[in-house]
Amino acid sequence: MSKYEYNTSKPDKLLTGYGTVRGAELKAIYSDINENTPLSQINARFGRPTNEGLETDHIDNCLRFLRSIDMIECSGQNAFSPLNRNIFPDFEVSFEPRLLYHTRKQTGRQSHLAAVHEVAIQELSSEEGHYGVRRVSVDDLKIKVDRATDYNLKWREEKIEMWANLLAPLGAISYSTNHDEVLLSPSRGLLHELLSHHQAHRENGESILSVLEWIDENFFPVFSRTGGQPAVHVGVADVLESLVEDDVLRLTGMSDRNEVVELPRSIDDSQTPADYTLQTASDRPSYWYPLDRSERRYLA
């Protein structure tokens, strides 16, 4: 893995303050930026026509957010270039896990965005045994985050909603705006991609503990308990079970191995698997990223 480069001139605004930023716009704008891409080109492509000319406030917010998480940099007068694009030199990750990686790399107060997910996975676990809860309301999560973190900021529902609106299109969670409820399960597409990259390119590529530790450290939290034998959060375990049922994933338990994880229930006849084998997923909607599903429906 290449050394991560932090943007030397990034906005000071808190990440949860970008309440109007959405994944689809971030992905479209980021995908259009190459070396020294002029702002005029970005505005011309993504600006919203009005009687007074192009409306570009949404573009400005997206560019500021991408700069804040070190995905792009100002490379000249009103020009932008990618930053950290080759952070995984052995393989190319999709936009969705890339953005998750960048949010988890933020330090200081800006780590508060990733901290919401950590609280949802771990701080809520004590109320439901050691494996966490599948669903949590925005209000309950706000209360828990306020109690569990110390960023010298006032947590409001708007900040939790910003986090949910950002992560749901990436496939890290699901979010029901009608019920203000967050489902703490990643999409099959996101989990499958990361399992696949680890199996092919990482050391101990077949180890389920190794891959889940890699995902937990770099992309999104997966463990409801990390002390001793790590316990997999029930929402993540649900997706692992779905992959097994689809004959895409196989988990293997080994009695002579200590490098195992603990599941909420037995999957593939093991509650403490050691190794995994992954097959190519079929090209069907259940394995598409949420943003890809929207795009494919549009093209159809």
Side-chain angles (χ1 to χ4, degrees), residues 51-111:
N51 293 333
E52 290 75 31
L54 290 176
E55 194 278 307
T56 60
D57 286 349
H58 61 294
I59 298 174
D60 181 62
N61 281 331
C62 286
L63 292 174
R64 287 175 177 271
F65 185 83
L66 291 171
R67 286 174 56 206
S68 295
I69 61 173
D70 313 307
M71 290 186 72
I72 64 171
E73 62 179 343
C74 291
S75 53
Q77 186 68 26
N78 290 325
F80 298 91
S81 294
L83 189 62
N84 295 305
R85 181 157 283 183
N86 297 319
I87 197 68
F88 302 102
D90 296 328
F91 53 90
E92 179 69 21
V93 296
S94 300
F95 171 81
E96 289 84 350
R98 183 181 294 276
L99 193 146
L100 292 171
Y101 176 80
H102 278 262
T103 60
R104 286 184 75 77
K105 292 296 290 185
Q106 300 311 302
T107 61
R109 294 187 78 207
Q110 293 292 38
S111 65

Side-chain angles (χ1 to χ4, degrees), residues 75-253:
S75 53
Q77 186 68 26
N78 290 325
F80 298 91
S81 294
L83 189 62
N84 295 305
R85 181 157 283 183
N86 297 319
I87 197 68
F88 302 102
D90 296 328
F91 53 90
E92 179 69 21
V93 296
S94 300
F95 171 81
E96 289 84 350
R98 183 181 294 276
L99 193 146
L100 292 171
Y101 176 80
H102 278 262
T103 60
R104 286 184 75 77
K105 292 296 290 185
Q106 300 311 302
T107 61
R109 294 187 78 207
Q110 293 292 38
S111 65
H112 72 295
L113 184 62
V116 178
H117 208 163
E118 292 282 358
V119 171
I121 294 294
Q122 293 188 6
E123 292 296 328
L124 290 165
S125 300
S126 60
E127 298 181 2
E128 296 289 336
H130 295 294
Y131 302 107
V133 296
R134 289 182 172 87
R135 293 177 172 83
V136 59
S137 70
V138 169
D139 186 60
D140 285 347
L141 184 53
K142 176 186 72 69
I143 295 171
K144 286 290 186 179
V145 171
D146 199 28
R147 291 175 178 172
T149 63
D150 183 17
Y151 289 100
N152 192 27
L153 62 88
K154 178 65 177 178
W155 285 99
R156 298 183 177 87
E157 289 189 6
E158 289 81 2
K159 288 183 170 59
I160 304 299
E161 289 168 351
M162 182 276 167
W163 167 80
N165 280 319
L166 178 67
L167 264 64
L170 303 178
I173 60 169
S174 296
Y175 178 40
S176 171
T177 55
N178 291 335
H179 300 92
D180 283 334
E181 187 178 60
V182 176
L183 176 63
L184 298 171
S185 291
S187 70
R188 297 184 197 184
L190 174 60
L191 193 55
H192 183 275
E193 177 177 348
L194 296 176
L195 291 170
S196 178
H197 285 317
H198 187 277
Q199 179 178 261
H201 301 289
R202 302 287 296 181
E203 187 177 354
N204 298 323
E206 77 289 345
S207 166
I208 189 66
L209 174 60
S210 180
V211 66
L212 292 180
E213 286 180 334
W214 179 65
I215 294 172
D216 186 85
E217 178 183 358
N218 292 290
F219 300 98
F220 58 90
V222 300
F223 296 119
S224 61
R225 186 184 71 244
T226 55
Q229 187 169 278
V232 180
H233 183 268
V234 63
V236 178
D238 287 344
V239 184
L240 292 174
E241 186 170 31
S242 296
L243 297 180
V244 169
E245 291 175 349
D246 290 343
D247 293 324
V248 172
L249 174 69
R250 182 180 180 186
L251 299 176
T252 306

Side-chain angles (χ1 to χ4, degrees), residues 216-289:
D216 186 85
E217 178 183 358
N218 292 290
F219 300 98
F220 58 90
V222 300
F223 296 119
S224 61
R225 186 184 71 244
T226 55
Q229 187 169 278
V232 180
H233 183 268
V234 63
V236 178
D238 287 344
V239 184
L240 292 174
E241 186 170 31
S242 296
L243 297 180
V244 169
E245 291 175 349
D246 290 343
D247 293 324
V248 172
L249 174 69
R250 182 180 180 186
L251 299 176
T252 306
M254 296 185 179
S255 58
D256 60 342
R257 289 274 296 278
N258 294 323
E259 301 82 11
V260 299
V261 297
E262 181 182 333
L263 300 173
R265 61 198 166 277
S266 180
I267 302 175
D268 260 6
D269 298 323
S270 176
Q271 195 170 355
T272 55
D275 291 337
Y276 77 100
T277 304
L278 193 72
Q279 305 298 325
T280 302
S282 60
D283 184 21
R284 62 176 191 256
S286 58
Y287 284 89
W288 298 348
Y289 280 103

